[in-house]
Amino acid sequence: MIRRSKRYKVQLSLYSLSWEKVSKKKKAISSGHKTSEISLVNVLGACSHFNFSLKRVFRKKTDIFRLRVYTYKRGEGDKWKLCYLQFNCGTLKTAQEWSKNINVRLKLLNRPRRCHVFINPFSGENTASQIYNNKVSNIFQIADISPTITVTNRRGHAYSVVQTLDLNSIDVIVCIGGDGLFGEVYNSLLWRQQKDFHHSEAGLHDPIPCHVKIGLIPAGSTNGVVFCTTGLADPVTSALQIAMGRETSIDVISVWHNNRIERFATNFIGYGFFGDVLKDSEIYRWMGPTRYDFSGFKTILNLGSYKGEIMFKEGITSGQPKDRRICKKGCAICQERQITGERQWVKLSGEFASIEGCIMSCCSPQANKGLSPAAHLGDGCLDLIIHRSVNGLRYFRYLTNVAFFSEPFTGDLVDVYRVTEFKFKATCRDHVPGSCRRCSYWNIDGELYTESEIHVKAHRQILTLLASQPE
């Protein structure tokens, strides 16, 4: 074959594609040239390409028929870019045979071939459909992925579809939207498992690992989960990692009320400031993602504090919330054997400006390192951040530290613990469950929850995402 006007000897093995320069005169392998090789794990797909032009035909050019081997290269930061190796072949048949042989070997890899795609056209800046058509569909086509597409038209649409989906006929569910669409899908999957295994007792038992893999392509307002699992919110990067079957297992928390599961979450749960911001931002949805900044500014100007009692059990793990090392690909802490030991409940009472539970680092464009930079994706714990009663200026200083200096735990009014579970109940005077004006709201992965008394448990590596952590 010919590549870049040079002749190469190309070999295809079960695991890799290699090529080496051949001398034109001696028709033998040139000395002093190393063999180049690419592992099939890093190959997306191959196809024959017909480069037709009358000029090339009249000049009897032999590079009309080409073999393209698609792969990726790393760009700035953690970004992945689609690229290809191109070899010129003497005949169309040769190009087609090589393409077929490469794709046959790729099918032996554990990659998704059948997927159900959910597109939320209203998420973020209403660009989800455009992102799929312009950036994702071509990658799926090269990877020989057969998608079934559902465009959601209301809240809860994806949840109801997943409840009746034939899960044996798909390899992955892909969400193109924000964290809300992703939340609908995994909540539906975990609730479906509860019903399948426990029937009438659904919601009374801890969740078990979900066998259905999920891919998430960012098109929302915050894209927090994508930021934490891939290092950035880039649709092409996420699509390539999904197509190549890269896997990351993440923890899930269950939120209980009256000894029954109410919902699940994978990213964040907050009471006080973050609950108030979410509640206020609901009336400014027409502003798009900037509504959170506007509501946050309003809430800081009138920052409240809420009486309550919190109890928690600290986790048994080698990692600590104030560690300098962060969770990356091949993280040793996430791969540790889980130690089962009973810890005593720790109790705190008083007035709180904010209570936050971070299942992952919760990084975003507004906070590059996140609310809890050392939180891990798969250690079976969450970082519990507690802010005592404080004025708006000091809390604004805390948010500034998070956003610009990546030092969220400085100061004497911030306590942080790595816990496996915690309980909270409001202790305000004349408390009325579900409708008390002296209580805040819970922000659970961007969804409002009005009951203040809850029990939160962390469950280790329940979900498998098709994503690759930063190295």
Side-chain angles (χ1 to χ4, degrees):
M1 291 187 184
I2 299 174
R3 181 171 179 261
R4 293 180 181 174
S5 301
K6 298 178 182 179
R7 197 173 298 274
Y8 286 85
K9 178 183 178 182
V10 183
Q11 291 182 321
L12 176 64
S13 70
L14 190 61
Y15 305 105
S16 64
L17 178 72
S18 60
W19 59 95
E20 190 170 359
K21 188 177 178 181
V22 175
S23 173
K24 293 183 179 179
K25 294 182 180 179
K26 299 180 181 179
K27 295 185 178 180
I29 297 175
S30 300
S31 59
H33 289 275
K34 294 183 179 180
T35 301
S36 300
E37 184 179 41
I38 181 172
S39 172
L40 292 183
V41 173
N42 296 322
V43 173
L44 182 66
C47 68
S48 56
H49 178 65
F50 185 46
N51 185 32
F52 177 80
S53 69
L54 290 175
K55 184 178 179 181
R56 290 180 179 273
V57 172
F58 290 141
R59 291 187 179 183
K60 298 182 180 180
K61 293 286 186 178
T62 59
D63 60 349
I64 296 176
F65 308 106
R66 294 175 176 178
L67 168 69
R68 284 186 177 178
V69 180
Y70 287 89
T71 180
Y72 72 94
K73 65 178 180 180
R74 293 186 180 274
E76 183 180 354
D78 300 306
K79 185 176 290 188
W80 289 22
K81 295 182 178 180
L82 180 65
C83 62
Y84 59 83
L85 302 169
Q86 185 163 273
F87 299 93
N88 300 327
C89 303
T91 64
L92 178 60
K93 183 179 179 181
T94 302
Q96 290 175 337
E97 286 180 352
W98 274 88
S99 172
K100 179 181 177 181
N101 289 333
I102 292 173
N103 289 326
V104 166
R105 283 165 171 76
L106 291 178
K107 288 184 178 179
L108 300 177
L109 301 177
N110 183 25
R111 291 183 176 179
R113 300 295 175 187
R114 306 163 300 170
C115 75
H116 195 105
V117 179
F118 287 99
I119 300 175
N120 181 5
F122 309 108
S123 63
E125 297 179 354
N126 304 330
T127 58
S129 298
Q130 184 179 353
I131 286 173
Y132 176 78
N133 293 327
N134 297 341
K135 298 182 178 182
V136 178
S137 61
N138 181 50
I139 293 174
F140 282 6
Q141 183 178 1
I142 294 170
D144 194 25
I145 294 176
S146 302
T148 302
I149 299 174
T150 298
V151 179
T152 60
N153 53 34
R154 66 182 187 280
R155 178 173 291 188
H157 187 181
Y159 185 99
S160 59
V161 172
V162 172
Q163 287 292 301
T164 59
L165 204 60
D166 181 8
L167 300 180
N168 293 322
S169 65
I170 57 174
D171 301 318
V172 62
I173 296 177
V174 176
C175 307
I176 304 179
D179 294 333
L181 178 62
F182 173 60
E184 283 189 29
V185 169
Y186 72 74
N187 266 279
S188 185
L189 286 171
L190 294 176
W191 270 111
R192 182 169 170 174
Q193 281 192 330
Q194 288 278 316
K195 295 173 183 177
D196 292 342
F197 284 92
H198 305 297
H199 306 291
S200 61
E201 294 185 349
L204 303 178
H205 301 269
D206 290 341
I208 60 175
C210 180
H211 71 278
V212 180
K213 300 171 185 177
I214 306 175
L216 181 56
I217 295 175
S221 301
T222 56
N223 304 307
V225 176
V226 176
F227 263 102
C228 294
T229 53
T230 67
L232 74 169
D234 177 58
V236 172
T237 300
S238 296
L240 286 170
Q241 293 176 1
I242 291 169
M244 291 187 175
R246 302 293 199 263
E247 294 185 4
T248 298
S249 296
I250 65 171
D251 296 336
V252 169
I253 64 167
S254 56
V255 181
W256 300 65
H257 179 68
N258 291 337
N259 297 319
R260 191 177 189 89
I261 297 177
E262 293 292 316
R263 63 184 65 181
F264 301 96
T266 60
N267 190 18
F268 170 82
I269 179 171
Y271 182 83
F273 172 77
F274 288 96
D276 294 345
V277 169
L278 184 62
K279 175 64 176 177
D280 184 73
S281 68
E282 289 296 303
I283 60 176
Y284 302 112
R285 279 191 169 270
W286 56 271
M287 296 177 64
T290 57
R291 68 184 185 272
Y292 298 115
D293 298 328
F294 179 70
S295 294
F297 179 73
K298 285 179 58 181
T299 305
I300 284 180
L301 293 178
N302 191 27
L303 185 67
S305 59
Y306 303 95
K307 291 183 178 180
E309 177 184 285
I310 186 167
M311 300 173 63
F312 58 86
K313 286 184 178 181
E314 294 193 75
I316 305 175
T317 175
S318 61
Q320 297 299 325
K322 296 183 180 181
D323 287 345
R324 289 294 180 181
R325 55 179 178 173
I326 62 176
C327 187
K328 287 187 175 292
K329 188 175 181 179
C331 175
I333 292 176
C334 293
Q335 295 175 359
E336 285 179 349
R337 180 182 177 185
Q338 190 168 18
I339 302 173
T340 56
E342 189 64 27
R343 288 291 185 98
Q344 298 296 320
W345 287 99
V346 179
K347 180 179 177 180
L348 299 175
S349 300
E351 292 190 12
F352 306 101
S354 178
I355 297 172
E356 299 137 31
C358 299
I359 307 103
M360 48 183 69
S361 61
C362 301
C363 53
S364 66
Q366 291 76 25
N368 190 37
K369 297 296 183 180
L371 293 173
S372 184
H376 289 267
L377 294 178
D379 64 345
C381 299
L382 70 154
D383 288 352
L384 182 63
I385 306 170
I386 301 173
H387 301 266
R388 300 286 185 173
S389 180
V390 64
N391 61 46
L393 179 61
R394 296 194 67 175
Y395 195 81
F396 179 75
R397 188 180 302 167
Y398 158 75
L399 294 177
T400 303
N401 286 336
V402 171
F404 300 106
F405 303 106
S406 302
E407 295 180 354
F409 306 133
T410 57
D412 56 348
L413 295 177
V414 182
D415 299 318
V416 59
Y417 308 90
R418 183 151 291 174
V419 306
T420 56
E421 58 182 308
F422 74 87
K423 298 178 181 179
F424 177 84
K425 68 176 181 179
T427 58
C428 57
R429 184 181 300 177
D430 302 326
H431 175 68
V432 180
S435 59
C436 183
R437 294 185 177 181
R438 297 187 180 92
C439 296
S440 182
Y441 305 89
W442 283 101
N443 178 339
I444 305 177
D445 273 359
E447 299 293 329
L448 272 179
Y449 185 67
T450 57
E451 293 289 347
S452 59
E453 184 173 348
I454 62 171
H455 181 191
V456 177
K457 297 181 183 179
H459 309 280
R460 190 178 190 188
Q461 299 183 14
I462 294 295
L463 291 178
T464 300
L465 299 189
L466 292 186
S468 180
Q469 289 180 263
E471 297 180 353

